[in-house]
Every structure is written in C-alpha cells, then in structure tokens.
C-alpha cells in the first residue's frame, strides 16, 4: 500500500503556478518583450497577403523576393533564395472571369477580385455554354446526364467533378461551391474555399478549368435552375425566367514544363562557438492569396524575430549567441525534405527546430485556440520541457485568474500582459497538446532526420484555406505573444552550456514525472476496464508503463548534448537516470497492487503470441541514401486503419535496432496514453503490415534477429 499511496500522490501532481520561468530571468524576459513587436510583424503580413503564392507560382517568388530583402534589412547574414526543383509544373493564372449571360448578365467570379475564384491547375479556356446542375458530382449523379460541352455546377469538390463530369462524361469545365475544411454550406455562405484540380489530365483527355464561388452564389444558381418561374434571385432588378443558365468562362493561365522550380529563403545569425548545433527557426511562405494566418503570421513573426535579435546584439544588450540561428521561409514540408535529401549531412548539425504556423489568430473570431504542440514520443526531449515552462509562463501571465486577480492584488486583468499597439486586449487562449504534424516541424522529427521540434498551430480555424484568411482576422497582440514564446526558447538554446545541464535535466525530469503520472493513470484504467485481469488490459497496462519509462530515458539522455565532457553535468544525468529506474520499480509495484485490489488476484505473466514472436525477429532499417528512402516511402501503397500520425510514428521509431514488435509497442503505448479518440487504435497487424509494405516498396530493409 505504501507504493500505491506514493503513486496516488504522484498522480495529483501538477505544474506549480509561478509567475516566471526558470529558463529566462525576469530581466531577460522584459528585454525580449520590450523589443518584440506584433505590429511590425503585421506589416510584413500585409505585404505577403498581396500574392497568390502557392508553390511555384509567380506570387510565391515575389513573396520570396520580399522576404529576402526584409531579412537583409533585419540584419541577417548570408541571406539567399535556395532554388529547388519541383516535382510539379510551375503555374500562374493571369486572368479568369466567369459570367452568367442568360437569363441576365452578371459577373459571378473574377480573380482580379480574389485569386481563389479559380481552382489552381486550371487550363486556358474561352467559351459560352449551358450550366448543368450535377449535385454531389458522384458517378451516380452524372450517369444519365448529357454533359458534353457543358459547364457543370456542383456542391462537391471541383476535383471530383473534373474526374466524373469532365473526363468521364465530356463536360467542358466546373463551377463548384464546395466549402473548405468540411464546414457546412451555412457556416460561411460568402467564403470562397481554396481548391486545386489536377494540372495533368489523363492520357487522351483535355486539360480543364474549375471556378469556385461562395455557397450563397452557388445555391442561388442552383435555385434558378430548379424552376422555370419568373425570378430575380440575384437582385439585378430584372425578373427573368428560370430553368436555364448560360455562362461564359474565360481563363488565361501559364503552365510550365516538368520539372518546375521552387525553393526557400534562408538567413543566419552566426554563433561564436558551436556551428554543429544550429537552431533552425521556420515558417512557410507558400499558400493561397491572403493566407494572413496560414502562414503569413509565422513568416512575418520570424522576420521580426530576426530584427529583434540583431538589434539586441548590435546594442550590446544581448551577446552574440554561441550557436548559429538559422531562419527558413519554406515551401511547406517539401523544402525541408528536399533539402535534407540533397544535403543528407545537414541534420547532424541541427540541434532543434522551432516552428510557427498560424500564430496570429484573432481568437475571438471563430473561437480559435493556440495549440502548443509537443514533439511525438519518438522525439521527446529537453525541448518539450523548455516549451512547457515558457508557454505556461505566458498562459499564466496573459489570462485572468480569479484568486490572484480579484483578491491577490495582481494587476487587472492580467499579471504581466503582452499587448500590441494596434492589437486586441484579449486573453491568450492557448493549450499544450500531444503531437500533431502536417506542417514543417514534421520534417525535423522524422525518424530519418531525428531533430527535436515543437510547433505553434491555432485550431479550430474556420478561415484556413479560404478567402477569409486575411488581415482582418489577424491580431498583432497574439503575434507578439507567440513570438515571445519562440524568442525565449531560441534565447535559451542559443546560450545553453554545460552549466545549464542541472536546470535542463531537472526540468526535463520533472516534466517526465508528470507524463509518467499520466501513464500510470492510463495503465490503471486499462486494468480496471479488463474483464478478469488476465486479458490484454494487464498486458497493455504494463506496455504503457514500460514505454513511458523508455521515453523518459530518451528525453533525459537528450540533455547530454549540452554536457560535453563536464563531469558535474554528467553526474546530474546519471543520478536522475538512477532515480528514474527506481521510479519504474515503484510504478510496477503500484500497478500490481492495483491489479490485486481491482480483481482479487495477481495477473499471470504476459506471454508473447506467435505473431508477436515473429514480429520481434523483424528489424527494419532505412535504406540509403535519404533521397531514395523519402521517394520510395511516398510510393508505398498500404491500406491501413492506422491514424495518420501513428503511421508517421511507426517510421519515426525505425532505427535498425528496434524490432517490428518493439515499434508496435512504442506506437501502441503512445496511442493508449493519448486515448483512442485522439490517435485511434494501434494493432500489431497494422504496424507489421505497414512495415512489410514499406520494405516491399524499397524504402526499408529488414534483417532477421536470431
């Protein structure tokens, strides 16, 4: 019972409320806050929103040119655009208009008003023809329709309509009023979603085009087609009969040859000592017209961060860092994977990645929350501890707390507020969440790269990938707060030496204790839910504890990068490692005690099944070079029920030492720790099947362990 009580006390532990962070002194935090401007970052975003800047577009290169000059003005060194080949074609739309010519003349769309009226990938066109309603654009919906030479109207995605109505049934083009991110048509009736269609048609088929109109416009067109009665749905002042619409589409686009070109902007603040421990600070440039938050916000913020650090260095308020700070404005995800493929030695010289994506949301519009995203379990490290510490400080000092604010005498409404001159006075609605990828940081934590990374992404977001992601939905105050978070982390990493190992180790260990407490909570719930204490509940419970401790060993060991040969620093790590080993024994004893209390008897030792024994002999490894691995992995085909993030984690845990069974245990434990609602279910068959398919594709090799 002594062990059980100790664990119950541990389960009650929470991060202590504090108005500071041990990683950054009050003076240094004030220094950073005083210099960082959300309003300056906003002005960069104002420029970037001019351009429709998807990968390879003329607007993308104009945005890159702007960033190159702004980065030089901010004082960065060796600023350049790093050209990269693109797998697709370069594409730019020059002009596109869609008119209703019957029953009344009315312009429906014009990319001079907003670029997303035309789906990317559209080909040139100039024709007048009848508009035909095809509902959801399914094969059933179009089966009995004569669509030859017609333009079709659909509520479905333009890509689906292109396949089923244009290439299968001979339609000339598409008008879609699909809404982005699975929202309903009533959510934002005047929002235009950003879409694309295949730029390369199937062999023997013509290229085509697709206009995208707001739901209100699309529904009005549908109603006109639905009845022949006299009507004036568009309020043109002219009543006309319905039942038939003729539209004129004129499209002028430029489509290049394969391969196309893309790239990213890079700039440096050179350090004085460690050039093989670079801190890479990222945001991405490419997105649709506007894209103020995704990711104009991150791009503007890291330009401002570059200015601030250089100003502080120039004025003598901040020493030149001992590590290189490397700033990247990328073609999202592609740039990093391509660069690492072309220069496979680069990751060995990167210490950490700090990423901003969607960090300027006006949070009262759409109830948006800033998600502070931890690294996945495969890459948990000291970085998560710094992240949680600084992030918690910002949350506590920029939100109102009843006891502290009303009766504690602290300033109203927030204790240490960070505002911008032209920003709101809203609170900082932020939360720490388990790993999510789909942005640039995923390239760094990828198992073949192995660099710790954390990221900022706001969610939910009703404006992403649409005409609504523009300046009016950006808050300079939130830009400033999020940039302070990244700046403070970069500041810590820029100067950390062996004398900081005790702090880094202690905070990493303490954070790990909280994670292990949660692991034990999950483990006991699995035991409690087991029918008789002898099924997989007990096996899974032990798996969660085992893998949790292994995760914390890896996290603690990651601090060693700062220790060098310093004996005192290494002693700290060794002592905490010993404490972790003792804690594992206590956790297992407490779990066994809970098993007896819950079910009246101890569980039988878990035995490996035949499938588990077989998987324990399979040891996958990445193929060389990196370029081959990444290419072959993309080509792999495997139908899986695994959550996409857990698929990534399967690859992330591959190291040439872990067996397929070891990888399964690690990924299953991570999914169990977060919950099935978050990461879904992980089965051995799915993990082994994915690994086998990847071996067959040539992205992995496999040896048999005897």
């Amino acid at each position: 019972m002594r062990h059980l009580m100790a664990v119950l006390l541990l389960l009650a532990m929470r991060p202590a409320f504090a108005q500071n962070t041990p990683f950054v002194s009050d003076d240094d935090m004030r220094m950073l806050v005083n210099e960082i401007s959300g309003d300056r970052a906003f002005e960069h975003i104002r420029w970037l929103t001019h351009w429709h800047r998807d990968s390879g577009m003329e607007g993308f290169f104009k945005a890159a040119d702007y960033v190159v000059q702004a980065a030089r003005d901010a004082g960065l060194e060796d600023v350049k655009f790093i050209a990269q080949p693109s797998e697709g074609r370069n594409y730019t739309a020059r002009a596109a208009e869609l008119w209703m010519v019957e029953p009344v003349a009315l312009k429906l769309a014009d990319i001079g008003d907003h670029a997303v009226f035309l789906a990317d990938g559209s080909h040139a066109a100039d024709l007048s023809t009848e508009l035909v309603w095809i509902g959801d654009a399914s094969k059933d919906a179009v089966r009995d329709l004569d669509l030859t030479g017609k333009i079709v109207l659909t509520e479905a995605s333009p890509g689906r309509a292109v396949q089923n109505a244009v290439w299968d049934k001979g339609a000339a083009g598409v008008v879609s009023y699909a809404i982005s991110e699975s929202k309903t048509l009533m959510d934002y009736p005047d929002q235009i979603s950003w879409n694309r269609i295949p730029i390369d048609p199937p062999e023997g088929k013509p290229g085509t085009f697709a206009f995208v109109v707001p739901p209100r416009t699309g529904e009005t067109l549908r109603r006109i087609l639905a009845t022949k009665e006299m009507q004036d749905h568009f309020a043109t002042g002219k009543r006309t009969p319905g039942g038939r619409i003729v539209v004129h589409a004129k499209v002028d686009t430029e489509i290049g040859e394969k391969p196309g070109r893309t790239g990213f902007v890079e700039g440096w603040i050179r350090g004085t000592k460690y050039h093989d421990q670079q801190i890479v600070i990222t945001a991405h440039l490419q997105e649709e017209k506007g894209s103020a938050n995704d990711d104009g916000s991150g791009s503007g913020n890291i330009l401002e961060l570059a200015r601030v650090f250089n100003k502080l260095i120039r004025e003598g308020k901040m020493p030149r860092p001992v590590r290189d700070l490397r700033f990247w404005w990328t073609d999202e995800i592609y740039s990093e994977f391509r660069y690492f493929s072309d220069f496979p030695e680069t990751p060995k010289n990167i210490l950490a990645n700090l990423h901003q994506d969607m960090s300027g949301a006006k949070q009262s519009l759409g109830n948006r929350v800033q998600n502070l995203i931890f690294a996945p379990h495969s890459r948990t490290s000291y970085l998560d501890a710094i992240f949680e510490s600084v992030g918690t400080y910002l949350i506590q000092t920029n939100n109102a707390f009843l006891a502290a604010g009303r009766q504690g005498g602290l300033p109203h409404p927030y204790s240490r507020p960070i505002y911008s001159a032209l920003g709101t006075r809203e609170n900082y609605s932020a939360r720490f969440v388990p790993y999510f990828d789909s942005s640039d940081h995923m390239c760094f934590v990828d198992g073949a790269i192995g660099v710790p990374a954390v990221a900022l992404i706001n969610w939910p977001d009703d404006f992403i990938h649409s005409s609504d992601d523009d300046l009016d939905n950006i808050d300079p105050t939130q830009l400033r707060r999020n940039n302070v978070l990244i700046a403070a982390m970069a500041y810590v990493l820029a100067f950390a030496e062996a004398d900081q190992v005790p702090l880094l180790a202690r905070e990493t260990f303490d954070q790990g204790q909280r994670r292990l407490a949660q692991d034990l909570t999950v483990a006991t719930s699995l035991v409690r839910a087991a029918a008789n204490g002898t099924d997989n509940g007990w096996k899974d419970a032990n798996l969660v504890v085992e893998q949790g401790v292994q995760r914390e060993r890896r996290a603690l060991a990651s601090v060693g990068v700062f220790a060098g040969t310093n004996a005192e620093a290494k002693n700290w790590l060794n002592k905490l490692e010993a404490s972790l080993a003792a804690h594992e024994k206590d956790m297992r004893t407490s779990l066994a005690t809970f098993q007896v209390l819950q079910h009246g008897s101890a569980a039988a030792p878990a035995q490996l099944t035949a499938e588990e024994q077989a998987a324990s002999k399979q040891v996958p490894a990445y193929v060389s070079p990196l370029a081959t691995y990444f290419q072959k992995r993309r080509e792999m085909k495997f139908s899986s029920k695994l959550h996409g993030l857990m698929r990534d984690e399967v690859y992330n845990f591959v190291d040439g030492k872990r067996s397929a069974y070891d990888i399964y245990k690690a990924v299953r434990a991570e999914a169990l720790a977060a919950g099935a609602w978050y990461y879904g279910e992980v089965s051995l068959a799915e993990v082994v099947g994915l690994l086998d398919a990847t071996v067959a594709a040539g992205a992995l090799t496999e040896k048999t362990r005897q």
Side-chain angles (χ1 to χ4, degrees), residues 388-451:
E388 184 178 37
S389 179
V390 178
T392 299
Y393 163 81
L394 287 169
I395 291 169
Q396 290 174 357
T397 54
N398 286 274
N399 284 283
F401 294 91
L402 187 61
R406 186 165 190 196
Q407 293 184 351
L410 292 180
H412 181 80
Y414 316 133
S415 59
R416 296 188 188 179
I418 297 174
Y419 303 131
S420 286
L422 301 180
T424 72
R425 296 299 186 264
E426 294 174 3
N427 64 318
Y428 182 49
S429 180
R431 64 186 171 208
F432 287 97
V433 296
Y435 181 63
F436 174 79
D437 59 24
S438 297
S439 195
D440 299 81
H441 61 295
M442 67 181 285
C443 308
F444 293 86
V445 302
D446 189 285
I449 305 303
V451 173

Side-chain angles (χ1 to χ4, degrees), residues 296-461:
S297 60
S299 296
N301 255 1
I302 69 172
L303 277 169
E304 168 61 5
L305 184 56
R307 182 197 70 84
V308 166
F309 279 165
N310 278 304
K311 181 175 185 287
L312 292 173
I313 292 169
R314 187 171 63 250
E315 294 177 348
K317 296 178 180 178
M318 169 180 157
R320 181 164 287 276
V322 299
R323 292 179 178 82
D324 297 332
L325 301 181
R326 199 171 180 180
F327 294 77
W328 285 0
W329 292 265
T330 70
D331 186 340
E332 186 180 17
I333 300 173
Y334 177 81
S335 282
E336 288 92 344
F337 276 140
R338 179 74 202 203
Y339 191 75
F340 296 147
S341 296
D342 291 342
F343 303 97
E345 296 302 309
T346 297
K348 297 176 183 178
N349 296 322
I350 299 176
L351 177 71
N353 168 238
L354 307 176
H355 182 55
Q356 291 194 60
D357 187 353
M358 303 170 69
S359 54
K362 188 177 291 183
Q363 294 184 323
S364 58
L365 296 176
N367 297 313
R368 296 185 284 182
V369 175
Q370 196 67 56
N371 285 263
L372 311 181
I373 303 168
F374 286 127
H377 285 197
S378 60
R379 209 61 59 212
T380 304
S381 73
Y382 62 85
L383 190 63
D384 295 274
I386 302 172
F387 190 36
E388 184 178 37
S389 179
V390 178
T392 299
Y393 163 81
L394 287 169
I395 291 169
Q396 290 174 357
T397 54
N398 286 274
N399 284 283
F401 294 91
L402 187 61
R406 186 165 190 196
Q407 293 184 351
L410 292 180
H412 181 80
Y414 316 133
S415 59
R416 296 188 188 179
I418 297 174
Y419 303 131
S420 286
L422 301 180
T424 72
R425 296 299 186 264
E426 294 174 3
N427 64 318
Y428 182 49
S429 180
R431 64 186 171 208
F432 287 97
V433 296
Y435 181 63
F436 174 79
D437 59 24
S438 297
S439 195
D440 299 81
H441 61 295
M442 67 181 285
C443 308
F444 293 86
V445 302
D446 189 285
I449 305 303
V451 173
V454 293
L456 311 180
I457 300 179
N458 79 255
W459 197 260
D461 194 289

